[in-house]
Amino acid sequence: MKLSVLSSLLLVASASAFAPAARPNVASASTTSLNLFGGKKEGGEKGPGMMDQLAMFKKAQEVAQKKNELDKELAAMDTIGSAADGKVKITVKYVPAQLPSNPNPGYDVVAIDIDEEYLGEVSCEDLSSSLVEAIRNGEEKAAVLVAEKYQALQADLGEMLQGMQK
């Protein structure tokens, strides 16, 4: 008797475990909306729709394309740094970042021009320090040039970010 009562309780309990939960018969409105064309939120304000997101994505692609073009333009330019009253000249080129292998942009020395008279009369230590000074001078000039060129790109990026916050 106890066994049959216990098995009946287990059968009822296991049957209700797999049955769907009973819900009150209330019509519920779906809270999911796609806002594909910038639909309105409650309160009348416009929400970010799919069209807005596509426009932002397109703007991001334009900014990336402008950055690539700017990097090519900067890589083609030569910047000359000098030291020892112009007797040591170093030509520096901008090297854009090559993602992901080298995420940082840099500068390469592509030419060195040393006055022959200066080379004949200077000590090794002075020549070494003049070379280092000329390289630093060239890199500083190149960095200023790069910063000036990137100002326009930064303005475009700021405009895009302002559009995302609206």
Side-chain angles (χ1 to χ4, degrees):
M1 176 77 174
K2 289 181 183 181
L3 185 60
S4 65
V5 172
L6 184 59
S7 63
S8 299
L9 283 174
L10 282 174
L11 183 63
V12 171
S14 64
S16 65
F18 295 105
R23 292 187 191 182
N25 194 6
V26 176
S28 63
S30 174
T31 58
T32 305
S33 65
L34 295 176
N35 292 330
L36 290 177
F37 301 100
K40 296 194 179 224
K41 294 181 181 179
E42 290 180 23
E45 63 189 57
K46 186 176 180 182
M50 182 67 89
M51 298 303 280
D52 294 337
Q53 291 174 358
L54 289 174
M56 285 186 279
F57 182 71
K58 186 175 180 181
K59 183 68 175 175
Q61 285 180 323
E62 289 173 9
V63 170
Q65 184 179 5
K66 285 182 183 179
K67 182 201 176 298
N68 288 338
E69 290 170 2
L70 186 62
D71 280 344
K72 286 178 185 176
E73 178 185 335
L74 288 168
M77 298 174 111
D78 289 338
T79 307
I80 298 174
S82 62
D85 297 325
K87 295 176 182 168
V88 176
K89 295 179 184 174
I90 303 287
T91 304
V92 177
K93 280 196 174 274
Y94 173 74
V95 179
Q98 285 100 23
L99 297 173
S101 63
N102 185 8
N104 299 320
Y107 305 96
D108 279 346
V109 173
V110 293
I112 299 173
D113 183 30
I114 303 173
D115 184 70
E116 288 187 30
E117 289 180 26
Y118 178 73
L119 187 59
E121 65 189 38
V122 73
S123 68
C124 291
E125 292 83 19
D126 289 341
L127 179 61
S128 176
S129 65
S130 293
L131 285 168
V132 169
E133 183 182 336
I135 291 170
R136 287 184 181 154
N137 181 259
E139 286 181 351
E140 287 172 5
K141 286 180 178 180
V144 168
L145 180 68
V146 168
E148 289 173 358
K149 294 284 187 176
Y150 268 87
Q151 290 297 322
L153 187 67
Q154 185 178 0
D156 284 347
L157 188 59
E159 179 184 309
M160 185 183 75
L161 291 175
Q162 288 295 327
M164 288 176 63
Q165 292 176 353
K166 289 182 181 178

